[in-house]
């Protein structure tokens, strides 16, 4: 219990949160983010009004849901842009400032240092996300969206931030230069957000063409849905519309017993939870490479010393 308390409440975390929250840059970042989301919400409402979605001050629940979906996907994209910038330099920045060695000489463990850096960065991003709740209240005025959907979406945001943050911390620990860490983090994020979606579309077209040309018997579902389960946007849409998972897996509607083998958001959380643990484990192990080599040398030298004694 005391060990967990030291990890959760420690000087490194306190210093990082204080330095990150009490700067004019942080306040400006929150203001700019909320301003962008507010303008986006106003733009969506204007488009809906112009297209006839809002008539006589009343909004169809389907139109309100579309507004909510558009805002949620837009915020997910903004998270993908901001989170790597906050986490990709937390360790490499200390190394470039030549303060990492001093940090490692403290009584804080490697896990405490890595997790404190990650939590401090994600706490600021969480503050930004929570500050957009008034923007979402505009959608609630028109109905069509339940509070449970909003809570599910925000929990999904936290998971995506944790995923991108762990990737950023991993590259920040493994690579010595911050610029390289940022590039690699954005590169992996691009693969997760874009390449997985393109791979799904490409695989779906090939799978459908080969299935119909070969004349094989009707199948319950297609394997291509597993590719879309790796995409954050696809997983987010499956939270909005549970039937979207069946569409992604090309479930045959003729068979009433057929259903998607797994919800897209469930696959997303399961797969990337393992990757998060892997990235953080490697970062914790690699933050003290010199210490690890010394320990191995000492262990190898112990039998020799015993024989000499």
């Amino acid at each position: 219990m005391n060990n967990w308390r030291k990890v959760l409440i420690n000087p490194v975390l306190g210093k990082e949160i204080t330095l990150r929250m009490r700067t004019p840059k942080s306040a400006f970042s929150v203001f700019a983010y909320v301003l962008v989301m507010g303008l986006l919400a106003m733009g969506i409402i204007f488009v809906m009004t112009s297209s006839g979605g809002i008539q006589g001050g009343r909004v169809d629940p389907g139109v309100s849901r579309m507004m909510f979906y558009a805002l949620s996907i837009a915020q997910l994209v903004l998270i993908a842009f901001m989170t790597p910038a906050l986490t990709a330099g937390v360790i490499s920045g200390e190394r470039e400032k030549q303060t990492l060695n001093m940090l490692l000489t403290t009584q804080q463990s490697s896990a405490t240092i890595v997790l404190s850096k990650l939590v401090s960065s994600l706490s600021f991003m969480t503050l930004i996300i929570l500050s957009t709740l008034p923007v979402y209240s505009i959608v609630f005025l028109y109905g069509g969206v339940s509070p449970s959907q909003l809570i599910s979406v925000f929990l999904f945001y936290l998971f995506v931030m944790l995923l991108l943050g762990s990737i950023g911390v991993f590259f920040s620990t493994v690579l010595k230069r911050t610029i390289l860490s940022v590039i690699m983090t954005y590169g992996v994020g691009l693969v997760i957000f874009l390449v997985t979606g393109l791979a799904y579309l490409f695989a779906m077209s090939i799978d459908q063409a080969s299935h119909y040309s070969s004349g094989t018997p009707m199948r319950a579902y297609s394997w291509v849905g597993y590719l879309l389960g790796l995409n954050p946007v696809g997983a987010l849409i499956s939270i909005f519309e549970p039937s979207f998972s069946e569409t992604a897996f090309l479930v045959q509607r003729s068979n009433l017993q057929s259903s998607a083998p797994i919800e897209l958001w469930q696959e997303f959380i399961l797969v990337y939870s393992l990757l998060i643990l892997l990235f953080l484990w490697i970062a914790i192990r690699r933050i003290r490479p010199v210490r690890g080599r010394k320990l191995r040398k000492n262990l190898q030298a112990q039998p020799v010393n015993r024989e000499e004694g």
Side-chain angles (χ1 to χ4, degrees):
M1 186 67 181
N2 292 331
N3 293 333
W4 280 108
R5 187 175 300 174
K6 291 180 180 179
V7 173
L8 298 176
I9 305 175
N10 59 82
V12 178
L13 180 59
K15 179 184 75 69
E16 291 293 328
I17 291 180
T18 301
L19 293 178
R20 191 172 294 275
M21 298 293 185
R22 296 183 180 180
T23 59
K25 182 180 178 181
S26 300
F28 177 77
S29 298
V30 175
F31 169 76
Y33 191 94
V34 176
L35 178 63
V36 171
M37 288 296 298
L39 292 177
L40 182 61
M42 293 296 102
I44 293 174
I45 294 176
F46 176 78
V47 171
M48 294 296 179
T49 305
S50 302
S51 61
I54 301 177
Q55 297 179 352
R58 296 182 178 181
V59 181
D60 183 81
V63 177
S64 179
R65 284 195 297 270
M66 292 301 298
M67 294 168 55
F68 176 70
Y69 298 167
L71 279 175
S72 300
I73 294 175
Q75 178 140 267
L76 183 64
V77 174
L78 291 176
I79 289 173
F81 275 104
M82 291 191 62
T83 305
L86 293 175
T87 58
V90 291
I91 303 298
S92 58
E94 296 282 353
R95 187 182 292 111
E96 291 176 349
K97 292 184 294 185
Q98 297 182 353
T99 55
L100 180 60
N101 290 334
M102 291 188 294
L103 187 61
L104 295 177
T105 57
T106 63
Q107 296 180 351
Q108 307 301 320
S109 63
S110 300
T112 300
I113 295 173
V114 171
L115 296 179
S116 296
K117 291 283 188 179
L118 177 62
V119 170
S120 64
S121 300
L122 296 184
S123 62
F124 176 69
M125 196 65 206
T126 302
L127 174 64
I128 292 179
I129 298 302
L130 293 177
S131 65
T132 60
L133 282 174
V135 178
Y136 281 89
S137 64
I138 300 175
V139 180
F140 277 102
L141 292 176
Y142 299 117
V145 180
S146 63
S148 61
Q149 285 181 309
L150 181 62
I151 295 174
S152 299
V153 169
F154 272 69
L155 291 177
F156 184 78
Y157 288 156
L158 293 177
F159 183 81
V160 174
M161 288 189 297
L162 180 60
L163 171 62
L164 297 175
S166 63
I167 295 174
V169 171
F170 166 76
F171 283 114
S172 181
T173 305
V174 174
L175 302 177
K176 296 181 179 180
R177 300 292 299 274
T178 300
I179 185 63
L180 294 178
S181 175
V182 172
I183 293 174
M184 291 300 299
T185 304
Y186 275 110
V188 175
L190 187 65
V191 171
I192 294 175
F193 275 81
L194 183 61
V195 176
T196 53
L198 296 177
Y200 167 75
L201 296 176
F202 181 72
M204 182 179 64
S205 61
I206 294 179
D207 180 73
Q208 286 184 323
S210 61
H211 177 70
Y212 290 120
S213 62
S214 61
T216 55
M218 185 176 294
R219 57 192 176 175
Y221 62 89
S222 174
W223 60 271
V224 297
Y226 290 107
L227 292 176
L228 192 59
L230 301 176
N231 185 274
V233 178
L236 182 62
I237 296 176
S238 69
I239 295 177
F240 300 149
E241 301 290 343
S243 60
F244 182 73
S245 297
E246 297 182 359
T247 304
F249 280 97
L250 305 178
V251 174
Q252 299 295 330
R253 297 294 182 180
S254 58
N255 188 353
L256 298 179
Q257 301 298 326
S258 299
S259 60
I262 188 174
E263 297 291 334
L264 296 182
W265 66 269
Q266 293 176 346
E267 178 193 351
F268 184 87
I269 292 177
L270 178 62
V271 173
Y272 287 113
S273 293
L274 298 177
L275 289 180
I276 289 172
L277 295 176
L278 178 62
F279 285 135
L280 293 179
W281 180 78
I282 296 176
I284 292 171
R285 292 293 300 270
R286 291 293 300 273
I287 196 173
R288 298 178 189 263
V290 177
R291 180 183 177 184
R293 288 196 295 267
K294 287 182 178 180
L295 288 175
R296 286 193 293 270
K297 290 181 179 179
N298 292 334
L299 292 175
Q300 293 174 357
Q302 283 180 0
V304 178
N305 294 334
R306 291 176 181 176
E307 293 177 359
E308 291 178 356

